[in-house]
């Protein structure tokens, strides 16, 4: 570690440090970050000789944060995920969470609504395959009436509605637009984001759009929103799904950025101006329990994304912002000693805040056993609020900036992520990685290694493989009301009974024609879907001609 540029004071301290550890240093076990990066016990200025420490928050490349004063002007958005039963039950949850203090920037309402599996796949409550899944782990919301209830009485210009959908992103947005119009508002009033296409084939052996058409549909939504709903965030790059499937923080970063670049490339190929659409792309990123690695990941993500946006032709600084919503990772929660999960969730949220993200969902401590109860959901929200109002962490922008360890780790994570990113690009990009299964295989291998490390005790999980307890926590789980299914089917039946069926049929025929036009490059799909939503078509009905046109794909 000797360097001729060291001061005498540093040389003396270094000598004393080396002498102080001489008798036990051989007993120290080498440690690694979750991404496999070797860690040292002590970092010094020698570790940041190549680092750029002359950056400021709010200035390109945004390593230190997107805004000059961090959270001092306004704190992050408390954007809790919720959705259960029909829209009636979910609407009650929306109102309850607002009353509990959940809010976004400058007091805006923020709603992070997750759909149930039938909706995500695009089937309605009366479909045989929906049975047993309606309203579980998400809201069943498929009709105009459902969306009318979703937006009822909210001031749309001050309400951020994020829709956690699946393959039904376009029909969901069409139904929301039609509901806003029935409120006397047009699409310019809408705030929030679309998941847009989430290619689950990257992490799961389940059907989704063939990648070629998944990208075509994503770009169709982007083009429509760019021209008609300029405040709508068009694409939520769902890196969290990669992390939950077993990707390391470095893999999550590399694959997520490659995914983002593939969306940029698709938009540019469609003739969109980079400054017209790239600024409306955003990220949902996971956060594990390794605090410093996660902080470094968020810092690296901002500057890597800024570079990609600049290289793509963005001129406006805010269009180079890597805006991040963090969903604390659920896979690290345990059924054993379930209340320990509160400590894990607090560490995850702290890492997100220290990393300078824009929005956070904190998991509930009982999510390893069931969907959250009212109590556990409240505790999860209060965790954020205590960090926000009691801890002082929001007072200083990038409080870990300049730390030898954090700066060095940020640089190493960035370098490792670029290596994986460059390999993906050399092999044809993210879309090709989906089609070949390359990305899924890499994540599967990482997931297997994590499981092996936990099973062997190499990776300690308190209460699971260390400090076990013979007694079980007495936590009352959320109980699913199976009457929800009957209620959902009846709501759908009543809705269909009052429609002009001839108008619906004609609109759906127009959707089928628009799908073919999108396929051959002669037309757009979103306008036809919005017309169908206006006519009363449901989520599942709109998805039928889409599936017929674009088909399903399963990664092998």
């Amino acid at each position: 570690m000797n360097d001729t540029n060291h001061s005498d004071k540093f040389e003396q301290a270094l000598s004393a440090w080396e002498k102080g550890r001489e008798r036990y240093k051989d007993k120290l076990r080498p440690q690694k970050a979750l991404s496999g990066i070797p860690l040292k016990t002590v970092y010094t200025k020698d570790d940041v000789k190549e680092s750029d420490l002359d950056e400021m928050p709010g200035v390109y490349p945004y390593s230190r944060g997107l805004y000059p004063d961090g959270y001092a002007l306004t704190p992050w958005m408390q954007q809790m995920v919720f959705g259960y039963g029909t829209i009636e039950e979910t609407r009650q949850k929306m109102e309850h969470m607002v009353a509990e203090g959940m809010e976004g920037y400058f007091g805006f309402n923020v709603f992070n609504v997750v759909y149930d599996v039938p909706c995500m796949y695009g089937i309605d409550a009366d479909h045989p395959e929906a049975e047993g899944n309606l309203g579980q782990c998400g809201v069943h919301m498929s009709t105009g009436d459902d969306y009318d209830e979703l937006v009822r009485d909210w001031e749309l210009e001050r309400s951020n509605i994020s829709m956690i959908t699946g393959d039904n992103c376009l029909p969901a947005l069409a139904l929301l637009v039609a509901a806003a119009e029935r409120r006397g508002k047009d699409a310019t009033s809408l705030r929030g984001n679309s998941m847009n296409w989430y290619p689950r084939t990257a992490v799961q052996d389940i059907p989704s759009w063939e990648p070629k058409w998944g990208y075509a549909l994503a770009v169709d939504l982007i083009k429509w929103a760019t021209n008609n709903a300029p405040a709508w965030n068009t694409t939520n790059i769902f890196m969290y799904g990669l992390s939950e499937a077993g990707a390391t923080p470095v893999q999550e970063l590399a694959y997520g950025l490659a995914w983002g670049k593939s969306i940029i490339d698709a938009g540019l190929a469609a003739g969109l101006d980079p400054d017209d659409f790239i600024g409306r792309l955003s990220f949902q990123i996971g956060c594990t329990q390794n605090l410093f690695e996660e902080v470094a990941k968020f810092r690296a993500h901002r500057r890597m994304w800024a570079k990609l946006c600049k290289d793509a032709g963005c001129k406006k600084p805010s269009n180079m912002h890597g805006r991040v919503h963090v969903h604390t990772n659920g896979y690290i929660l345990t059924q054993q000693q379930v209340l320990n999960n509160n400590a894990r969730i607090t560490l995850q949220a702290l890492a997100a805040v220290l990393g300078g993200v824009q929005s956070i969902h904190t998991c509930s401590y009982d999510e390893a056993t069931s969907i959250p109860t009212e109590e556990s959901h409240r505790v999860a929200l209060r965790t954020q609020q205590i960090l926000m109002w009691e801890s002082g962490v929001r007072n200083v922008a990038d409080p870990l900036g300049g730390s030898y360890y954090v700066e060095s780790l940020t640089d190493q994570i960035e370098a490792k992520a670029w290596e994986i990113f460059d390999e993906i690009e050399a092999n044809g990009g993210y879309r090709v990685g989906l089609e070949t299964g390359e990305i899924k295989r890499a994540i599967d291998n990482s997931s297997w290694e994590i499981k092996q490390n936990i099973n062997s005790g190499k990776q300690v999980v308190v209460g699971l493989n260390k400090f076990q307890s013979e007694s079980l926590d007495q936590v009352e789980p959320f109980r699913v009301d199976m009457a929800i299914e009957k209620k959902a089917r009846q709501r759908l039946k009543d809705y269909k009974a009052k429609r002009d069926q001839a108008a619906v049929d004609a609109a759906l025929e127009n959707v089928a024609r628009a799908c073919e036009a999108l396929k051959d490059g002669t037309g757009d799909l979103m306008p036809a879907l919005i017309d169908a939503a206006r006519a009363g078509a449901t989520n599942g009905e709109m998805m039928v001609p889409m599936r017929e046109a674009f088909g399903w794909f399963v990664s092998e």
Side-chain angles (χ1 to χ4, degrees), residues 1 126 135 239 266 316 337 352 391 404 420 533:
M1 295 179 66
D126 56 0
M239 292 165 57
K316 187 177 179 182
Q337 301 178 31
S391 71
Y404 296 143
I420 298 174

Side-chain angles (χ1 to χ4, degrees), residues 88-117:
E88 293 177 359
E89 288 75 26
T90 294
R91 177 68 196 220
Q92 292 172 10
K93 170 65 81 170
M94 294 169 75
E95 295 172 1
H96 176 72
M97 295 303 285
V98 169
E100 292 285 0
M102 182 181 75
E103 65 180 23
Y105 288 155
F106 305 108
F108 275 44
N109 291 322
V110 284
F111 304 119
N112 209 355
V113 183
V114 61
Y115 289 62
D116 68 5
V117 171

Side-chain angles (χ1 to χ4, degrees), residues 17 19-29 41:
W17 173 76
K19 183 178 180 180
R21 67 198 296 267
E22 186 67 36
R23 58 189 172 83
Y24 65 80
K25 66 178 182 180
D26 292 338
K27 299 179 182 179
L28 294 175
R29 298 170 57 186
T41 58

Side-chain angles (χ1 to χ4, degrees), residues 4 25 28 51 80 93 139 148 159 187 190 261 263 273 284 291 343 349 360 388 442 448 453 495 517 555:
T4 56
K25 66 178 182 180
L28 294 175
S51 301
M80 301 294 288
K93 170 65 81 170
V139 58
D148 287 346
S159 297
L190 295 177
K261 182 179 181 296
I263 297 293
D273 183 278
Q284 182 167 332
L291 188 144
I360 301 174
M388 184 178 290
W448 182 86
N453 288 339
Y495 178 76
S555 176

Side-chain angles (χ1 to χ4, degrees), residues 379-394:
V379 170
L381 177 61
R382 293 288 185 261
T383 299
Q384 290 196 52
Q385 292 167 336
I386 290 169
L387 284 174
M388 184 178 290
W389 297 107
E390 296 186 24
S391 71
V393 292
R394 57 174 280 207

Side-chain angles (χ1 to χ4, degrees), residues 251-504:
Q251 285 178 320
E252 179 193 16
L253 182 56
Y255 295 139
L257 290 171
W259 180 357
K261 182 179 181 296
S262 72
I263 297 293
I264 290 177
D265 291 343
L268 295 176
L272 294 173
D273 183 278
D275 273 318
D276 287 343
F277 81 97
I278 292 177
R280 286 295 167 186
L281 309 182
S282 59
F283 295 84
Q284 182 167 332
I285 303 183
C287 188
T288 68
Q289 70 276 41
N290 196 308
L291 188 144
F292 293 107
E293 185 173 14
E294 292 297 336
V295 171
K297 180 186 76 177
F298 296 129
R299 300 175 90 245
H301 172 268
R302 280 192 294 271
R303 70 188 187 204
M304 293 175 75
W305 181 247
K307 182 180 187 304
L308 290 173
C309 294
K310 189 173 185 179
D311 289 348
C314 284
K315 301 292 192 298
K316 187 177 179 182
S318 63
N319 288 338
M320 305 177 204
H321 284 182
R323 294 173 297 122
V324 171
H325 168 75
V326 158
H327 190 304
T328 60
N329 276 104
Y331 83 86
I332 74 167
L333 306 180
T334 67
Q335 293 181 348
Q336 297 82 3
Q337 301 178 31
V338 67
L339 293 177
N340 292 346
N341 291 329
N342 283 319
R344 296 184 175 101
I345 294 161
T346 301
L347 281 172
Q348 292 169 296
L350 178 60
V353 174
L354 294 174
V357 306
Q358 284 61 63
S359 170
I360 301 174
H361 162 81
T362 31
C363 284
S364 300
Y365 64 80
D366 53 358
E367 285 192 49
T369 61
S370 66
I371 64 175
T373 62
E374 287 292 337
E375 178 198 41
S376 67
H377 214 182
R378 183 187 303 109
V379 170
L381 177 61
R382 293 288 185 261
T383 299
Q384 290 196 52
Q385 292 167 336
I386 290 169
L387 284 174
M388 184 178 290
W389 297 107
E390 296 186 24
S391 71
V393 292
R394 57 174 280 207
N395 295 339
V396 177
D398 190 32
L400 296 181
S403 157
Y404 296 143
Y405 174 37
V406 171
E407 296 290 357
S408 174
L409 190 56
T410 300
D411 292 345
Q412 291 182 79
I413 285 176
E414 179 184 8
K416 293 288 186 184
W418 280 129
E419 288 178 12
I420 298 174
F421 177 94
D422 290 342
E423 182 179 356
I424 297 169
E425 291 296 296
N427 290 337
Y430 194 79
R431 176 179 146 185
V432 172
L434 291 175
E435 293 170 339
T436 62
E438 169 194 356
I439 294 167
K440 184 177 183 301
R441 284 191 295 273
I443 294 174
D444 283 349
N445 289 338
S446 173
S447 177
W448 182 86
E449 184 175 350
I450 291 171
K451 185 173 179 61
Q452 292 299 109
N453 288 339
I454 291 174
N455 288 346
S456 68
K458 184 177 180 181
Q459 182 173 326
V460 172
V461 180
V462 172
L464 178 65
N465 60 16
K466 196 176 184 68
F467 310 116
Q468 299 100 326
S469 174
E470 294 182 1
S471 61
L472 298 176
D473 291 328
Q474 299 300 313
V475 176
E476 183 65 25
F478 185 91
R479 303 292 181 183
V480 176
D481 182 0
M482 299 311 294
I484 290 292
E485 298 231 345
K486 182 178 179 181
K487 180 180 179 181
R489 285 190 289 268
Q490 187 61 50
R491 282 179 61 89
L492 179 63
K493 182 178 179 180
D494 293 344
Y495 178 76
K496 288 183 174 182
K498 65 181 182 181
R499 301 183 308 183
D500 180 344
Q501 190 60 47
V504 172

Side-chain angles (χ1 to χ4, degrees), residues 508 511-512 515-516 540-550:
L508 291 174
V511 169
C515 287
E516 294 303 321
E541 289 171 330
M542 286 187 269
M543 284 287 287
V544 169
M546 291 177 67
R547 275 195 298 271
E548 290 174 349
F550 303 113

